[in-house]
Structures are given as structure tokens and as C-alpha cells.
Amino acid sequence: QLQLQESGPGLVKPSETLSLTCSVSGGSVSSGSYYWDWIRQTPGKGLEWIGSYCYCGTTYYNPSLKSRVNISLDTSKNQFSLELTSVTAADTAVYYCARESAYGLGGGRIDYWGQGTRVKVSS
Amino acid sequence: SNELTQPPSVSVSPGQTARITCSGDTLPKEYTYWYQHKPGQAPVLVIYKDSGRPSGIPERFSGSASGTTVTLTISGVQAEDEADYYCQSAGSSTPYAGVVFGGGTKLTVL
């Protein structure tokens, strides 16, 4: 059974960089046709896609966050990471990592999620 | 544009049928997925490819699609079904451009 687990600081200061890691067990990040996603939920709002690392080696980012986001894959550690720069209070959220199955040219079902990690941006 | 519209809230009494809709211009060309999200928990996939039900999901959860609207139906709603529900669309012939979620619907069991 695949398991994903987010880790990282729960408090980040404004203007600094938020860094989170998703550790994957029960499967390999380098096998299969999957997108490795970061998704967040800000307080009182819905789910927001941040970005994805494609099994094909390409990264995709939400246009509204693109200038501040970097997602990378570390196959040696079987994990993938999120960096979000220049954070503000608006980036306070629960951050989820997830695995999305590729389907044809596009994506599809997200059937494995981490439990989520709460990050607060505050001085 | 690839926007998905859901009603903000739906309320039903236990045992009744809840229907949650998701509308979008691209839905006729794409599959829709539904997620149940309870506070403090990870979202759970309850319907895939419009009407498929993953193993372990109760039979009372079903999905259907018609034109630009897809519907998640929960028959015989139970108190444990109270949650936020999100739709997501994706197409096999559309190059990947990220994950698109609807705004979410809060299901309240009265």
C-alpha cells in the first residue's frame, strides 16, 4: 500500500521560503506513469492545485503561483519536494502531497494523498 | 476556460438522497473525479471516470454525466457522509495542464 507523508516546518516567516518534503513508501517515485502533486487548502477555502512533477520529467505549476514555486524529485530518497518563495499570510494553508495517475495525454485520479501538514506564515 | 462550478452547500436528512452537481464547458470531453474531504483528514476518491467506484467506497455513492454537468449522488445519506465534496476534471486527449478542482460543496446531514 502506497503511503505519502509530508514533512517540514509548521511556521514560516513572511518573505521567506516554505520548504516541504513528501516521503513515499510502498512504491517508487521513479516507476509508473504518475504525476506527483502538491495541493493546498487555505482556511475557509477549497482545494488548490500548486504544481506537479510528471513521470516524464516535466514540472507543471499553477499559473497564479508559477513565479514562486519549484517542485523537485529525489529518486535516491524516494521523495519529492515543494519550495514556495516569498511567502505571505495568504500562503497559510494545509499542504497535501498526492499521487495522480496519468491517463493518455492528461491526468486523472488522485488516489493517494498524504495526511496534510499545516503551515502558518507569521512573524 | 476550464472552470468547474459546484453549489456551495447541499443539505439533506439522514436516509434521503443527496445530489451534488459539477458544471463545466470541458466536461463533455473529459472524465470527472469526486473526492470526499472531512476536516483533519486527507481527501478520499469516491468516484472516478464519471461513474466508477473505487474499492471500499459504499455502493450508495454513484456518479453520472450528462453534457456539461456531472452529478455525484449519495443514496440513503448517513451522518458519516457529512463532508466537503470536490469534483476534478481531466481528459486523456487533452495535454496535461494541472489539476482542476471545483470550488467544493459542503454536504450537511440534518
Side-chain angles (χ1 to χ4, degrees):
Chain A
Q1 177 82 347
L2 192 77
Q3 291 187 323
L4 289 79
Q5 179 66 57
E6 306 90 350
S7 61
L11 180 65
V12 181
K13 290 183 168 57
S15 80
E16 295 190 344
T17 297
L18 180 160
S19 296
L20 297 175
T21 296
C22 182
S23 299
V24 179
S25 58
S28 172
V29 298
S30 57
S31 64
S33 300
Y34 302 110
Y35 296 90
W36 300 96
D37 299 338
W38 285 99
I39 293 161
R40 71 181 182 181
Q41 183 177 32
T42 51
K45 295 189 178 180
L47 299 174
E48 178 184 28
W49 171 70
I50 300 170
S52 304
Y53 194 103
C54 171
Y55 66 99
C56 56
T58 303
T59 50
Y60 300 84
Y61 300 128
N62 187 321
S64 68
L65 300 169
K66 186 174 184 178
S67 63
R68 300 193 291 129
V69 175
N70 183 60
I71 295 176
S72 58
L73 197 78
D74 187 336
T75 56
S76 66
K77 296 181 179 178
N78 210 36
Q79 63 187 30
F80 60 107
S81 300
L82 168 70
E83 287 189 336
L84 182 65
T85 63
S86 304
V87 298
T88 69
D91 296 309
T92 293
V94 177
Y95 286 77
Y96 297 95
C97 60
R99 190 190 80 172
E100 176 187 2
S101 296
Y103 180 63
L105 296 176
R109 60 193 288 173
I110 303 172
D111 44 9
Y112 291 98
W113 297 71
Q115 281 300 306
T117 186
R118 191 173 301 273
V119 178
K120 182 176 182 179
V121 178
S122 174
S123 55
Chain B
S1 65
N2 194 9
E3 293 184 359
L4 301 177
T5 301
Q6 299 180 235
S9 62
V10 168
S11 299
V12 296
S13 298
Q16 291 189 328
T17 296
R19 294 180 179 85
I20 300 173
T21 59
C22 175
S23 299
D25 291 340
T26 60
L27 294 185
K29 299 177 292 184
E30 297 182 337
Y31 283 120
T32 302
Y33 304 81
W34 288 95
Y35 301 89
Q36 177 193 68
H37 192 201
K38 297 181 179 180
Q41 299 183 20
V44 174
L45 178 72
V46 294
I47 294 290
Y48 66 93
K49 288 186 178 179
D50 295 344
S51 59
R53 192 172 53 249
S55 61
I57 300 302
E59 290 185 6
R60 63 180 182 273
F61 287 86
S62 63
S64 61
S66 180
T68 59
T69 299
V70 295
T71 302
L72 171 68
T73 301
I74 310 172
S75 304
V77 166
Q78 300 182 7
E80 66 195 50
D81 299 330
E82 185 164 287
D84 294 327
Y85 290 85
Y86 295 89
C87 60
Q88 172 216 352
S89 68
S92 64
S93 58
T94 305
Y96 188 80
V99 182
V100 179
F101 291 110
T105 298
K106 182 176 181 57
L107 175 66
T108 300
V109 182
L110 302 170

